[in-house]
Amino acid sequence: MTERAFIRHIVFFSARDKADIQAIVDGLSELGKIPHSRTFEVRRNTQSDALSSEVDVVVYAEFANASDMAAYKAHPIYEEAIRVVRPLRELRIAADI
């Protein structure tokens, strides 16, 4: 199996209050202004899977390497997004593949 040269960063969020989902999307969308990702998306979960409805919002980003991902997480916009979103979210699960 060939190893990919980039990192896929996928983060799942659930809202404490479903009324705050759009505020979570808006707060996380600010992360797209950080220049270190190759690809960046924030999407509401369509929740079309009948067996799983816990996740409300998904962030998907791709980074060329670990240094770019570290620079992304060290950016002031990242800190501000955390400040805005953390009180609104219940669940946060991240995976880097």
Side-chain angles (χ1 to χ4, degrees), residues 30-43:
E30 290 296 304
L31 297 171
K33 296 177 181 177
I34 301 173
H36 303 286
S37 62
R38 297 178 0 162
T39 299
F40 182 85
E41 296 181 58
V42 176
R43 300 280 178 104

Side-chain angles (χ1 to χ4, degrees), residues 6-92:
F6 62 91
I7 298 169
R8 291 182 178 115
H9 179 62
I10 307 159
V11 188
F12 301 95
F13 294 87
S14 67
R16 289 184 196 275
D17 181 339
K18 299 303 182 191
D20 291 329
I21 293 173
Q22 189 59 50
I24 293 170
V25 169
D26 294 344
L28 294 172
S29 292
E30 290 296 304
L31 297 171
K33 296 177 181 177
I34 301 173
H36 303 286
S37 62
R38 297 178 0 162
T39 299
F40 182 85
E41 296 181 58
V42 176
R43 300 280 178 104
R44 283 179 172 236
N45 184 6
T46 62
Q47 297 188 345
S48 57
D49 185 329
L51 299 177
S52 178
S53 62
E54 299 84 7
V55 174
D56 296 309
V57 179
V58 178
V59 172
Y60 176 82
E62 292 178 359
F63 299 92
N65 52 53
S67 295
D68 283 355
M69 190 165 81
Y72 164 84
K73 290 183 175 186
H75 197 282
I77 291 174
Y78 187 86
E79 292 301 318
E80 178 61 14
I82 289 171
R83 186 191 68 73
V84 169
V85 172
R86 182 175 279 155
L88 304 177
R89 68 160 171 86
E90 184 71 35
L91 173 75
R92 180 192 181 275

